[in-house]
Amino acid sequence: MTAPNAVYQLKVTLDDSKPPIWRRIWCRENITLRDLHEIIQRVMGWRNYHLHMFRISRQIYGDPEDDETGMMGTKNETRYRINQFGLYEKSKFLLRI
């Protein structure tokens, strides 16, 4: 018998929106950052028209092909799961779209 996956509760908030625009989502601990991006697109009603990147602990994650010069050192978001970052209650990270 395998142990059940933990579930993360995340609050996604748009910067500089008045009134605040936010969504609360729940996701399994073993989803990739790419999967998380897809979930955020759906819950916000977006259609994935723009490039994106996550910034977690000063590291950039996204599609390395979008980092044309390699200057940002973008790590492939499909290779990282949210349970790999040592997140804890009230942890914050950034998704830029």
Side-chain angles (χ1 to χ4, degrees):
M1 186 168 152
T2 61
N5 291 327
V7 174
Y8 283 52
Q9 176 179 277
L10 304 173
K11 183 178 180 183
V12 178
T13 307
L14 296 183
D15 283 345
D16 303 322
S17 62
K18 303 274 191 248
I21 298 171
W22 61 274
R23 303 288 186 273
R24 188 167 317 276
I25 61 175
W26 290 265
C27 54
R28 293 187 321 252
E29 67 173 343
N30 62 346
I31 65 168
T32 66
L33 290 175
R34 178 66 188 172
D35 295 334
L36 179 57
H37 172 257
E38 294 294 328
I39 291 167
I40 292 170
Q41 291 293 307
R42 289 183 183 162
V43 302
M44 296 304 284
W46 297 336
R47 301 192 193 280
N48 201 19
Y49 291 139
H50 302 283
L51 301 178
H52 71 281
M53 66 181 182
F54 290 93
R55 183 161 59 191
I56 304 171
S57 300
R58 295 194 273 193
Q59 176 61 55
I60 303 297
Y61 301 88
D63 185 342
E65 290 187 21
D66 295 339
D67 184 2
E68 295 173 352
T69 64
M71 297 289 290
M72 296 188 313
T74 302
K75 293 191 176 189
N76 190 331
E77 68 189 350
T78 64
R79 296 183 181 160
Y80 293 89
R81 301 184 182 283
I82 62 172
N83 62 357
Q84 293 178 274
F85 296 102
L87 300 175
Y88 53 90
E89 189 172 349
K90 307 285 183 185
S91 289
K92 293 184 179 187
F93 59 90
L94 181 68
L95 169 63
R96 293 218 182 242
I97 297 182

